Amino acid sequence: MNSFNEEHTTIWSFKERGDWATHKGDYPGNCSPYIIKNILLKYSKEEDIVLDQFVGSGTTIIESLILNRRAIGIDINENAVSITTNRIKGINGKYKVFKGNATNLNLKDKYVDLICTHPPYMDIIKYSRGIQGDISLLNGYGFYNKIKDVAKESYRVLKNNKYCAIIMGDIRKKGFIIPVGFNVMEIFLKEGFLLKEIIIKEQHNCRSTEKWREVAKNKNFLLIQHEYIFVFQKAI
Ligand SMILES: C[S@@+](CC[C@H](N)C(=O)[O-])C[C@H]1O[C@@H](n2cnc3c(N)ncnc32)[C@H](O)[C@@H]1O
């Protein structure tokens, strides 16, 4: 297993993505299990119910089970549900992984102890060719309106005083930055969450970096090489 040291500052940087257990970096826009492990250790305890409603390839679910949390994974895309289900075969623990929509969760109020999730960064990676409800097909206000529903639902299903960690990044279009990260953060704050932390996570090994390096140099812009992890609390 890769070496692990818990983070203690607001800047996180993992040169190696992390490939212990069944973690793999092959799902588009996947996240490092080092992020998830840090979040789980800081904001949950054993037996807690952890939700990832944008589950992708299941990084949160794998890590939750390893750390003896109960896990719920949801994705709008059947393919993600089946990848996650395959990756957790053989790992002991209690979990549910199913198809669903993060904007309208099929979960009871105040059911979850921690949300740890990673929505699409607007439409920079499209996860389907037209699945209804897939927010990776949206941009601009269409995207932010759905994020508002995600924030509402996150607030509803979370127990009082518990945490909600969202990984989110900015994007660049036609040379200009769209601050998707801060816009999403504002939406969560408007729905009632308080902001516990803003963590800057350095990006490594991004597949598209090489392709863009030359363009960035020629057109005189900076490559985005960080993401945010916003940690919110439903402080009641
Ligand atoms: C950035 S990926 C998550 C990657 C994941 N953290 C991992 O490590 O594999 C975002 C996921 O959100 C899913 N998605 C898009 N719209 C959704 C919605 N409305 N409800 C649930 N999942 C959705 C996509 O299918 C995609 O799998």
Side-chain angles (χ1 to χ4, degrees), residues 99-115:
K99 185 176 168 178
N101 193 333
T103 64
N104 184 14
L105 292 169
N106 194 8
L107 295 173
K108 286 186 282 188
D109 295 359
K110 298 183 187 171
Y111 183 66
V112 168
D113 294 288
L114 172 68
I115 293 173

Side-chain angles (χ1 to χ4, degrees), residues 3-161:
S3 64
F4 176 82
N5 297 308
E6 207 174 321
E7 296 299 312
H8 296 291
T9 76
T10 55
I11 299 185
W12 295 5
S13 181
F14 311 108
K15 288 214 169 84
E16 316 235 312
R17 178 193 178 270
D19 58 1
W20 61 89
T22 52
H23 290 301
K24 269 195 228 168
D26 55 356
Y27 192 77
N30 67 85
C31 68
S32 159
Y34 283 109
I35 302 178
I36 307 299
K37 185 166 182 175
N38 270 285
I39 299 286
L40 291 174
L41 290 176
K42 283 181 201 309
Y43 303 110
S44 69
K45 55 184 192 317
E46 291 200 359
E47 286 301 314
D48 272 0
I49 298 179
V50 176
L51 167 68
D52 184 348
Q53 64 271 55
F54 293 96
V55 79
S57 59
T59 311
T60 306
I61 308 306
I62 297 167
E63 210 43 38
S64 295
L65 295 179
I66 293 172
L67 294 173
N68 297 321
R69 274 71 169 156
R70 290 175 284 165
I72 303 173
I74 298 173
D75 203 288
I76 199 92
N77 195 324
E78 201 68 68
N79 184 41
V81 172
S82 98
I83 292 171
T84 299
T85 307
N86 280 327
R87 288 193 186 172
I88 51 183
K89 270 185 198 149
I91 306 178
N92 285 330
K94 292 184 193 137
Y95 62 82
K96 282 185 199 149
V97 178
F98 55 92
K99 185 176 168 178
N101 193 333
T103 64
N104 184 14
L105 292 169
N106 194 8
L107 295 173
K108 286 186 282 188
D109 295 359
K110 298 183 187 171
Y111 183 66
V112 168
D113 294 288
L114 172 68
I115 293 173
C116 180
T117 198
H118 184 199
Y121 301 170
M122 222 171 237
D123 58 353
I124 49 161
I125 298 175
K126 292 185 174 58
Y127 286 92
S128 74
R129 295 205 173 169
I131 293 177
Q132 206 183 353
D134 180 351
I135 67 165
S136 73
L137 306 177
L138 302 175
N139 55 43
Y141 287 109
F143 177 81
Y144 294 129
N145 280 336
K146 293 295 173 192
I147 287 291
K148 190 175 168 196
D149 295 338
V150 172
K152 264 194 190 17
E153 282 291 83
S154 300
Y155 198 86
R156 180 181 69 75
V157 301
L158 199 60
K159 292 179 189 167
N160 293 349
N161 297 314

